Amino acid sequence: MISLLALLFADTLLLLSAFQFKGNGDIQWCFSQVKGTLEDDVTEADIISCVEFNHDGDLLATGDKGGRVVIFQRDPISKNSIPRRGEYNVYSTFQSHEPEFDYLKSLEIEEKINKIRWLKRKNPAHFLLSTNDKTIKLWKVSERDKRVEGYNTKEENGTIRDPACITALRVPTIKPMELMVEASPRRIFANAHTYHINSISVNSDQETYLSADDLRINLWHLEITDQSFNIVDIKPTNMEELTEVITAAEFHPAECNVLVYSSSKGTIRLCDMRSAALCDQHSKLFEEPEDPTNRSFFSEIISSISDVKLSNSGRYMISRDYLSVKVWDLQMETKPIECYPVHEYLRSKLCSLYENDCIFDKFECCWSGNDSAIMTGSYNNFFRVFDRTTKRDLTLEAARDIAKPKTLLKPRKVCTGGKRKKDEISVDCLDFNKKILHTAWHPSENVVAVAATNNLFLFQDKL
């Protein structure tokens, strides 16, 4: 594969396709144009809330605030073409979660899909975990292209035949049929979290997974739904003494006994389940001392870590706070080895961002397949890509007006003051209602998925 270094940072990303999500679950292709009136039709339920590639990158799953999961499959022609293209078609759509009501607490439970995680494929079917605030579900996605005809005890429409009418036995036959993709819930893991689930992560053993809420992390076995083991509990005896909450958690990609979780105080804790069954005492604490010159009223809010991701090699991890992305070496706790400002120009806007609640937005981040680059989102439908080798960075826009195949993306620049150049946009003109919170990178190729409100954009490097 041509190196990301040579491709990614020379106007190389191009738009392959964009999908328009509508409330009825249908998806329209938007290759040439997107009508402006469609933006006004967006409802809360249509907004994409998570994006996740499976382990070989052939499937891409998205969840939305309406509880729906839409799975895209890579087009075989584009996959086998030379050069390879990253085009995806709709594979399956199903309703994962429904709105619920907790009568004991008089609390509504939203159907919004918070996270999706794929299991490694072991048979022809695919399995994935999806979760809302309270309930985790294991889904099986399978294909059926044959049907059985010639039953002895029932008619073709499924009704049971009268035994008195059965005068002969016949051998059922298998006939081909139009391909049908079925999604069925195999396990439902519920009633284990008092607070809202913010993370799920499948262990490298592919037998267990963790789920994390604000104060606890539970360990589940994929075959056991009625019990889980609490491995982290930071709830104080007196809730008035609560000073931090868990914001994200993830298992190590290779070591099944190691996990990390981040907190609202800007710290990351690494836990080793071999040292103790209850991991309240961490093995390592990753924290960067605060620069006194940047101390302000908003320091604690913007230092909260919204996402943490271990690298594919397992050597590093990235953490995303409000203004930056940091790369940590698991062997060095004192400070990050790299720090990339995402939108430093917003530091002067923190007061207005606090008033409109944007300062509490939770941006995700992701690694490239070979750990050489990082991607995360920003406002105005901008997303940022950082090359760790050259230390160069790009600001790109997932815009509807470039929704044409093979359209090159031009780097965007934000002007913070003074005279604005032709291709720059003023920080005062940024649209804070348009934000890229969820991104995903193909595990082995330079294909990325970016969720912008109710649109899913797919980009790849220049061919």
Side-chain angles (χ1 to χ4, degrees):
M1 183 174 67
I2 303 175
S3 69
L4 176 69
L5 190 60
L7 291 171
L8 193 56
F9 294 91
D11 298 353
T12 57
L13 291 182
L14 62 135
L15 180 64
L16 284 179
S17 55
F19 303 98
Q20 175 72 26
F21 284 65
K22 297 302 294 175
N24 57 9
D26 294 335
I27 297 143
Q28 303 168 350
W29 293 79
C30 305
F31 279 125
S32 57
Q33 64 177 356
V34 179
K35 296 187 182 296
T37 54
L38 291 177
E39 190 70 27
D40 301 328
D41 297 336
V42 177
T43 64
E44 187 75 9
D46 299 330
I47 298 175
I48 300 174
S49 54
C50 56
V51 182
E52 188 76 9
F53 281 102
N54 73 339
H55 290 84
D56 60 10
D58 283 349
L59 296 179
L60 171 64
T62 66
D64 63 25
K65 292 189 175 182
R68 296 181 297 265
V69 172
V70 180
I71 301 175
F72 301 92
Q73 183 182 50
R74 190 165 188 175
D75 182 73
I77 298 176
S78 75
K79 180 181 178 181
N80 298 321
S81 65
I82 300 176
R84 290 160 65 99
R85 304 192 308 274
E87 298 173 4
Y88 286 74
N89 301 320
V90 179
Y91 180 64
S92 177
T93 303
F94 59 92
Q95 188 73 30
S96 175
H97 286 73
E98 302 281 356
E100 302 174 49
F101 189 81
D102 188 335
Y103 294 96
L104 294 177
K105 298 182 179 179
S106 297
L107 183 68
E108 290 185 0
I109 302 173
E110 293 183 353
E111 65 272 34
K112 171 193 170 188
I113 307 297
N114 291 339
K115 296 289 180 182
I116 291 175
R117 291 291 180 265
W118 291 91
L119 277 66
K120 288 185 178 178
R121 195 175 185 184
K122 297 180 179 178
N123 55 49
H126 299 274
F127 290 86
L128 61 87
L129 289 168
S130 64
T131 183
N132 66 352
D133 288 340
K134 298 291 184 180
T135 305
I136 306 160
K137 295 184 180 181
L138 174 65
W139 289 90
K140 177 183 179 181
V141 182
S142 56
E143 296 181 353
R144 188 153 60 93
D145 59 358
K146 295 179 177 63
R147 70 177 186 272
V148 178
E149 291 184 353
Y151 287 104
N152 289 287
T153 59
K154 60 182 180 180
E155 304 291 349
E156 299 303 331
N157 61 7
T159 59
I160 303 299
R161 297 177 64 188
D162 184 357
C165 299
I166 302 175
T167 58
L169 293 177
R170 53 182 174 173
V171 178
T173 57
I174 298 176
K175 299 288 183 68
M177 60 175 284
E178 186 178 348
L179 178 64
M180 179 184 298
V181 181
E182 298 176 321
S184 56
R186 305 296 297 195
R187 305 276 189 278
I188 297 178
F189 308 88
N191 305 319
H193 285 276
T194 305
Y195 307 97
H196 292 175
I197 299 172
N198 56 49
S199 303
I200 53 175
S201 177
V202 181
N203 203 344
S204 58
D205 61 16
Q206 292 294 302
E207 293 182 358
T208 57
Y209 74 93
L210 66 77
S211 59
D213 64 24
D214 290 345
L215 298 179
R216 295 187 178 99
I217 300 177
N218 293 332
L219 180 67
W220 299 83
H221 194 284
L222 285 164
E223 299 294 329
I224 302 173
T225 61
D226 59 352
Q227 60 180 343
S228 61
F229 188 78
N230 180 233
I231 54 176
V232 174
D233 188 348
I234 65 170
K235 183 179 179 180
T237 306
N238 182 1
M239 285 295 284
E240 294 181 358
E241 300 174 358
L242 181 67
T243 59
E244 63 180 332
V245 295
I246 298 169
T247 56
E250 187 178 52
F251 268 122
H252 192 279
E255 299 176 25
C256 62
N257 52 286
V258 175
L259 63 107
V260 297
Y261 69 91
S262 57
S263 84
S264 57
K265 292 185 73 173
T267 62
I268 306 171
R269 292 174 174 84
L270 183 144
C271 300
D272 191 334
M273 292 189 292
R274 295 175 300 182
S275 60
L278 188 61
C279 300
D280 288 348
Q281 300 299 320
H282 52 267
S283 299
K284 293 184 178 182
L285 176 66
F286 300 86
E287 183 177 15
E288 183 180 26
E290 184 184 5
D291 185 354
T293 59
N294 289 331
R295 181 70 184 175
S296 70
F297 171 79
F298 306 104
S299 294
E300 290 188 6
I301 301 175
I302 64 175
S303 65
S304 175
I305 295 175
S306 58
D307 194 21
V308 60
K309 292 281 174 59
L310 286 152
S311 65
N312 298 291
S313 66
R315 172 69 188 273
Y316 307 99
M317 64 180 172
I318 50 176
S319 63
R320 171 68 205 266
D321 56 40
Y322 190 68
L323 294 179
S324 64
V325 175
K326 297 172 183 176
V327 180
W328 302 81
D329 189 323
L330 293 187
Q331 306 302 320
M332 188 170 74
E333 306 169 54
T334 53
K335 63 178 181 179
I337 58 173
E338 301 163 27
C339 184
Y340 301 99
V342 177
H343 38 217
E344 185 65 24
Y345 47 80
L346 295 182
R347 190 176 290 275
S348 62
K349 302 287 184 180
L350 292 178
C351 186
S352 58
L353 291 167
Y354 177 80
E355 292 174 353
N356 62 19
D357 286 343
C358 285
I359 200 170
F360 301 106
D361 286 334
K362 299 182 183 304
F363 292 94
E364 296 177 3
C365 52
C366 62
W367 290 92
S368 64
N370 59 4
D371 299 338
S372 65
I374 301 163
M375 178 172 61
T376 190
S378 182
Y379 293 104
N380 208 69
N381 280 356
F382 289 167
F383 61 98
R384 304 270 282 141
V385 183
F386 303 95
D387 189 297
R388 298 183 57 215
T389 306
T390 63
K391 306 305 179 188
R392 296 181 64 187
D393 62 90
L394 271 179
T395 300
L396 301 167
E397 183 180 5
R400 303 160 73 92
D401 56 358
I402 49 92
K404 292 183 180 180
K406 300 183 180 181
T407 300
L408 285 173
L409 293 187
K410 295 181 180 179
R412 302 301 305 270
K413 292 185 178 180
V414 178
C415 173
T416 55
K419 191 174 182 180
R420 181 170 64 90
K421 296 180 181 179
K422 179 181 179 181
D423 295 332
E424 292 181 339
I425 181 172
S426 170
V427 67
D428 297 319
C429 297
L430 296 176
D431 188 344
F432 293 104
N433 293 317
K434 295 180 179 179
K435 58 193 79 171
I436 304 293
L437 300 178
H438 314 287
T439 58
W441 203 306
H442 191 285
S444 59
E445 299 181 33
N446 290 331
V447 177
V448 298
V450 174
T453 315
N454 67 321
N455 295 295
L456 176 67
F457 292 92
L458 288 174
F459 304 91
Q460 79 168 75
D461 53 20
K462 186 176 181 180
L463 301 177

